[in-house]
Amino acid sequence: MTYRARLFIPFGVLAALLLSVVAGAQTPVARPQAPEVTVSTDTAELAAIRVKANAGDVAAQVLLGRAYAAGQGVPKDDAQAVAWFRKAADQGFAKAQFTLGWMYDNGLGVVKDDVQAVAWSRKAADQGHAGAQFNLGNSYFNGEGVPKDDAQAVAWFRKAADQGHAGAQFNLGNSYFNGEGVMKDDAQAVAWYRKAADQGLATAQFNLGNSYFNGEGVPKDDAQAVAWYRKAADQGHAGAQVNLGKSYCNGEGVPKDDVSAYLWLNLAGLAVDDDVARRARDTRETLAKRMTPAQIAEAQRRSREWFDTFQKRKR
């Protein structure tokens, strides 16, 4: 998956490349929403749920399916999970239809089958299930189980977005930014990014920061760009960490601060994305040439402190 980003290329001339910014197009997340799996592990409670499930109670059937899917209170068994989800789905229960679509999409307990994934997602989506609408939009966007159709993707993203689904709001923003399935409209892209960003979605915060930095859909505002990059960077978004580091390098939206720049570039250097990590490390090492050993040591100390705190928050 590509995504809209400011790319930072390794440089030979420090001043020139510290000022260079490249904006690329962003494609939707295209990652289907997973169902909830947390259920009680109390033996007596699960026994009571099983009795209800065997009697045809759809909510109990879904709970029992979740128990098998998660291995909570029973041995993990995706095939059994599918069997219970199917019982509820066949009764028209939207949550079960959504979950069964997810199981087909991921080949859990069944042979992976994009067509079946779409069929079950559509049943739930037609009943107004936002997660299913989002997943169906992704299927149309990626051409998985249905012919690729950006207009249909937008239609389903919009249904979920209007219900407050952050991932759908983000994807709808990308559709407007890239002009996929709708006319390109940067102001609309910003409006939908903001809805998702306000819900804490890091990728939306990152894109909103880019919009402010580049003046796309909003007046250019480096301070606002930094504010949104920081929100995403604090969640571990490597692209936002790079952009925040560059903002400190250049004094854009914040006072110039090489220690803070090194801190964020150092963290971005740990990114799973090899290209982002390489760019962050190359920029950091060039930045280090103008820093004192004491400044570098302080930046590294702060990096370790931030990373330790971040790891504790994730537990």
Side-chain angles (χ1 to χ4, degrees), residues 58 61 82-94 96-97 100 120 123:
V58 291
Q61 289 169 344
V82 165
W84 285 108
F85 291 140
R86 193 183 302 279
K87 289 178 185 292
D90 284 340
Q91 295 189 65
F93 195 50
Q97 293 167 340
L100 192 54
W120 287 107
K123 289 178 184 290

Side-chain angles (χ1 to χ4, degrees), residues 4-27:
R4 182 182 167 200
R6 288 165 61 195
L7 304 179
F8 302 97
I9 302 169
F11 46 89
V13 180
L14 180 66
L17 283 176
L18 282 177
L19 293 172
S20 68
V21 174
V22 179
Q26 167 94 332
T27 59

Side-chain angles (χ1 to χ4, degrees), residues 259 262 287-289 291-301:
V259 172
Y262 190 106
L287 172 65
K289 293 176 183 177
M291 297 173 66
T292 67
Q295 287 177 315
I296 293 172
E298 173 61 13
Q300 290 173 336
R301 183 194 68 76

Side-chain angles (χ1 to χ4, degrees), residues 195-278:
K195 289 178 185 291
D198 283 341
Q199 293 194 63
L201 188 65
T203 48
Q205 293 167 342
F206 173 60
N207 277 14
L208 189 54
N210 283 327
S211 295
Y212 274 110
F213 182 85
N214 295 310
E216 295 169 330
V218 287
K220 179 173 171 61
D221 187 329
D222 291 342
Q224 277 292 304
V226 165
W228 287 107
Y229 288 150
R230 192 182 306 280
K231 288 178 184 291
D234 280 339
Q235 294 191 64
H237 190 290
Q241 291 172 341
V242 173
N243 285 7
L244 187 55
K246 293 292 290 186
S247 295
Y248 276 113
C249 279
N250 300 327
E252 296 169 324
V254 286
K256 194 170 184 178
D257 182 340
D258 288 348
V259 172
S260 293
Y262 190 106
L263 156 69
W264 290 110
L265 292 168
N266 204 37
L267 292 168
L270 302 173
V272 174
D273 186 314
D274 290 338
D275 186 57
V276 172
R278 176 181 59 80

Side-chain angles (χ1 to χ4, degrees), residues 134 160-161 163-172 192 195-197 199-201 204:
F134 172 63
Q163 294 191 65
H165 190 290
Q169 292 168 341
F170 173 69
N171 282 9
L172 190 54
W192 287 107
K195 289 178 185 291
Q199 293 194 63
L201 188 65

